[in-house]
Amino acid sequence: MVNIYILTLFPQMFEGPFSAGLFQKAVERGVVKVDIRNIRDYTHDKHHTTDDYPYGGGAGMVMKPEPLFEAVEAVKNELSQQGIENVPVILLSPQGRLFTEQVALELSKHTHLIFICGQYEGIDERVSEYLATDEISIGDYVLTGGELAAMVVVNAVVRLIPGFLGSPDSLLSESHTTGLLEYPQYTRPPVFRDWAVPEVLLSGNHAQIAQWRREQSLLRTAKRRSDLLAKANLYPEEKRFIQRLETSVDIGVKEQ
Ligand code: 6GU
């Protein structure tokens, strides 16, 4: 069981992704518990101010540190009373370290996680420096806030928690778990609009199917994500397979 705390100015944004599909199942089964808190509830002034002008001037507003510190400290105090300490405090921001399956795996080992979603043009730097223990970005593009990023991170983390998936096998073969992209999947009908399912998949020969899938994974990764291939753990014969691809013109590894 993982307990997830999300601090946000827009709790309503989380209603959709957390109340549908496999994620909702995980909540129902008690694999994950999500506690969404409004940062605005941790303000004390009449207008519940959460942002202010940037020192030094410039466009946009900056999130004030006080409500964020108070919100995190409120959660930490509650956990402390249950004897839970050293809970990671993760700030979602485009300046963070890049989120990958490896980072998801690392986070999935914790029983409690606190996420801070920033809004506006920025967050007072003292949050990153003195409150957050980790700062994560989901990619090299800018979102209007950390909420969508938090949903992405939480989703990827939750599906790695033991007991989340029906069959743990599906974790082993899929894209990124192996360091390679996943092989193509097919279901019925065997021929759809003249496009046939590869013969080997209908053969019932499981050794041949496994070999075909591994080759497809390698081929696809070589074509689409050669950066992943360089880091993947390959058998010598698989490395030779790739080398043959790279020297063969008609497969077009280099072209896409
Ligand atoms: Cl975590 N936040 C924002 N605002 N933009 C992002 C991001 C996070 N990751 C990628 N772009």
Side-chain angles (χ1 to χ4, degrees), residues 92-94 136-146 149:
L92 282 317
S93 104
I136 289 177
S137 159
I138 61 162
D140 294 334
Y141 39 81
V142 181
L143 305 169
T144 57

Side-chain angles (χ1 to χ4, degrees), residues 11-148:
Q12 69 274 23
M13 281 183 76
F14 293 86
E15 281 163 22
F18 290 172
S19 51
L22 283 176
F23 196 98
Q24 187 189 29
K25 277 227 176 74
V27 174
E28 286 166 3
R29 275 201 252 142
V31 171
V32 60
K33 204 166 136 195
V34 186
D35 185 338
I36 298 168
R37 306 218 179 167
N38 196 330
I39 294 162
R40 209 170 289 284
D41 294 342
Y42 298 89
T43 56
H44 303 290
D45 63 309
K46 198 172 81 187
H47 297 105
H48 302 286
T49 314
T50 56
D51 64 331
D52 204 341
Y53 297 98
Y55 272 119
M61 300 296 275
V62 176
M63 280 180 91
K64 293 167 64 58
E66 304 96 311
L68 292 171
F69 272 78
E70 281 201 32
V72 169
E73 282 158 6
V75 173
K76 279 190 175 175
N77 283 338
E78 290 170 25
L79 294 177
S80 198
Q81 279 165 17
Q82 303 168 44
I84 298 150
E85 307 284 353
N86 302 317
V87 179
V89 177
I90 301 152
L91 177 63
L92 282 317
S93 104
Q95 281 89 42
R97 63 178 172 137
L98 198 59
F99 187 61
T100 62
E101 192 69 18
Q102 191 53 49
V103 176
L105 199 59
E106 191 185 308
L107 297 182
S108 74
K109 308 255 195 290
H110 292 271
T111 57
H112 296 77
L113 295 166
I114 303 173
F115 291 93
I116 304 173
C117 308
Q119 277 287 331
Y120 307 110
E121 279 70 21
I123 305 168
D124 188 287
E125 186 63 20
R126 289 164 290 195
V127 171
S128 159
E129 210 169 340
Y130 304 113
L131 185 63
T133 59
D134 198 355
E135 194 164 341
I136 289 177
S137 159
I138 61 162
D140 294 334
Y141 39 81
V142 181
L143 305 169
T144 57
E147 282 76 8
L148 286 167

Side-chain angles (χ1 to χ4, degrees), residues 5 17 72 91 105 107 143 164 171 178 199 222 240 245:
Y5 297 84
V72 169
L91 177 63
L105 199 59
L107 297 182
L143 305 169
F164 174 71
L171 275 185
T178 58
E199 205 56 56
R240 286 194 293 276
L245 291 178

Side-chain angles (χ1 to χ4, degrees), residues 148-168:
L148 286 167
M151 292 176 210
V152 167
V153 170
V154 168
N155 193 292
V157 168
V158 163
R159 57 187 293 295
L160 295 175
I161 301 168
F164 174 71
L165 287 172
S167 107

